[in-house]
Structures are given as C-alpha cells and as structure tokens.
Amino acid sequence: MKLYPSEESDFQRLIDFFNSYHEDKRSMAKWKWEFGSHLINKHVYMVAEHDGKIVATQATIPIYINRKGYLELSGKSESTLVDKDYRGTSLFSDLYKSVFKDCKEKGIKLIWGFTTAEKAFKRIGFSIYSDIVAHHFLVLNLRQTIKETLTSKLSFKNKYVRLLSFVFLWLWRKCSSFFNKTQNKCVYSLKKKVSAPGDIQGLYKRLHEKFPNLIYLDMSDEYIQWRVDGNPYCSYRLYCLYEKNIL
C-alpha cells in the first residue's frame, strides 16, 4: 500500500475515483476550484494506492476560523472515500495519520467537517456533535416548490410532509408580510452587496464582543470571493441587512 500527497497531475484519476461512487459528478473545473484555487499551499489531499489503483482519499480544505478572538487555520474535511473492497480495514486510520502529519506541517490547528460516518471518525479521535445543523426554509414561489417536491426522489410520505410544511410556510410568510405593513416604517434597508469593504468583519467583531467564546469562519473579502462569488456548484445570492449604515 502506497500513501502519498496528491499533485495536480493526479487530479483526473482522483476525479474518476470520486465520480465512480457519487452521482454529483465533478468536472475538472469544479475540482480545481475546490482544491486548487484557495490557499493553494495549505491544501492537504492524501491518496492511498494499491497495485496502481487508487483505493482511498482524504482531503482538507484550508479555511481560517476565528476562535475566541484568535485567527487560526483549520482544515475542512473533504473527499473522504475508501474503496468498498478495503472498508473495515485499518486503511482509513492509516490514511488519516498521514493527513494529521501533513496538516501539522502546514500549520493547520484543527480539522472539522460534516459526516454520516460518525463511528469511523470517532474511532480515530474526532469528537462528534450531533444535531447541530439548523435548516431554515422560506417559500417564495409555492408553485415551483410543489413541482420540485413532486418530481423529487423522496418517498410518498416525505413528499406529503414536505408539501404540507411548505404550504404552511408560504401562508405564514403572506400573513407576516400583511401585518408587517401595518407597523411603523422600519429603519432597515436590504442590499445585494456590502456597502463597504470590511462590513462583514465588523459585524462579526460586534458579535464577538457580545459572545466572547464564539467560533466562526473568517469572512474575509478573499474568502467571500472564493467560496460565494466563485462557487461553481451553486449560484449564491448575498443579501445584507443594514440598520442605517451598520450591517
């Protein structure tokens, strides 16, 4: 078994390995955006190869976080994949040992991510925090929402529950909008971009002053340009709520 850090010349083989297990096929452009366009020298991408065949991968994307007022380089766990013939062995653990070593050399202080393989990550020393992700929905176009739900691959029961939930949310939004119009005119304004560079950092600085133990992504202009503006997977829409001139 050969373990080694990937290079750009390995990208196409890595893409083929990933696409053989996932429906959301990745292109070379998407791959380079994710692993070759942001803090390039800080990426970690370890590969396990056996008899000339890629059998496992594990990567971390470098992202700066602010933890208790201190800026630290973290690694977001990505591309966790082990060939089905090698699962249940020590390969995942051995691969992550190489990841830990490479991360330390590149100054990455911690690794985090989202996974359904909780047992596997817990066995190699990760702490697992369940049920910490909150999902929020706002139905703007009821007809399109119903159409997409009916044509989805969800079970009949899940479709029924979602449709009822979406109809309720749509009615709630309509009622809320009506009653809000009867209130006094607010001092808020909604914008599609920040008014000035540093507004987002200023928002988080005020949040940190109120919540000293807050942990959050460092929303620098560079990060926003990469993760939001340049994201090839989805077209984000950024909305900024201002109270007078304060985000």
Side-chain angles (χ1 to χ4, degrees):
M1 186 69 67
K2 178 183 177 183
L3 306 180
Y4 60 91
S6 70
E7 297 181 357
E8 189 170 350
S9 58
D10 301 312
F11 277 10
Q12 189 57 56
R13 294 177 65 216
L14 293 172
I15 292 171
D16 294 340
F17 178 62
F18 178 90
N19 289 344
S20 66
Y21 280 91
H22 294 276
E23 292 183 0
D24 57 327
K25 306 300 183 183
R26 287 182 178 175
S27 64
M28 179 63 76
K30 290 180 177 179
W31 196 271
K32 287 185 175 181
W33 168 82
E34 190 167 5
F35 301 108
S37 63
H38 175 68
L39 299 175
I40 299 174
N41 296 327
K42 299 296 183 179
H43 274 81
V44 173
Y45 204 117
M46 298 303 299
V47 182
E49 186 176 300
H50 188 226
D51 291 337
K53 174 186 175 183
I54 293 176
V55 295
T57 60
Q58 177 59 54
T60 62
I61 297 176
I63 296 176
Y64 279 102
I65 65 170
N66 195 303
R67 186 165 68 96
K68 298 182 179 181
Y70 296 95
L71 201 62
E72 295 181 344
L73 183 61
S74 74
K76 182 178 183 294
S77 179
E78 288 286 350
S79 292
T80 303
L81 183 58
V82 178
D83 187 290
K84 63 181 186 301
D85 295 331
Y86 294 81
R87 294 172 188 175
T89 68
S90 64
L91 179 57
F92 178 66
S93 176
D94 294 339
L95 188 61
Y96 237 113
K97 287 178 182 177
S98 298
V99 171
F100 290 148
K101 181 176 181 295
D102 206 1
C103 282
K104 288 180 180 178
E105 292 175 353
K106 294 185 176 182
I108 293 175
K109 302 296 183 182
L110 60 95
I111 300 173
W112 57 278
F114 305 95
T115 183
T116 55
E118 295 185 357
K119 291 183 179 179
F121 277 89
K122 196 170 184 178
R123 279 197 297 267
I124 60 175
F126 279 87
S127 298
I128 305 296
Y129 301 93
S130 301
D131 302 322
I132 63 170
V133 177
H135 298 278
H136 301 274
F137 297 93
L138 178 62
V139 179
L140 299 175
N141 187 327
L142 184 60
R143 181 179 296 180
Q144 184 65 25
T145 302
I146 292 175
K147 179 181 177 181
E148 291 183 3
T149 302
L150 291 175
T151 56
S152 68
K153 296 181 180 180
L154 296 171
S155 65
F156 176 79
K157 179 181 178 181
N158 287 335
K159 287 181 180 180
Y160 180 74
V161 171
R162 284 203 175 190
L163 285 174
L164 286 179
S165 301
F166 289 147
V167 171
F168 171 78
L169 290 171
W170 183 80
L171 291 172
W172 177 268
R173 184 180 68 84
K174 287 293 185 180
C175 292
S176 298
S177 298
F178 173 78
F179 287 112
N180 285 337
K181 289 179 181 179
T182 65
Q183 304 297 319
N184 295 329
K185 187 177 180 180
C186 68
V187 295
Y188 299 106
S189 60
L190 190 64
K191 302 180 180 181
K192 291 187 177 181
K193 61 180 180 179
V194 293
S195 295
D199 278 0
I200 294 178
Q201 293 92 320
L203 169 63
Y204 278 99
K205 182 179 179 180
R206 294 193 302 276
L207 286 172
H208 171 68
E209 291 172 353
K210 188 173 183 179
F211 307 101
N213 294 326
L214 190 66
I215 300 174
Y216 56 91
L217 301 181
D218 180 49
M219 295 292 188
S220 65
D221 294 336
E222 180 188 1
Y223 177 81
I224 294 294
Q225 289 172 4
W226 168 69
R227 193 68 181 181
V228 178
D229 298 338
N231 196 315
Y233 286 95
C234 55
S235 179
Y236 284 106
R237 293 182 182 179
L238 179 65
Y239 294 96
C240 304
L241 184 66
Y242 279 83
E243 183 179 7
K244 295 182 179 179
N245 295 321
I246 300 176
L247 178 64

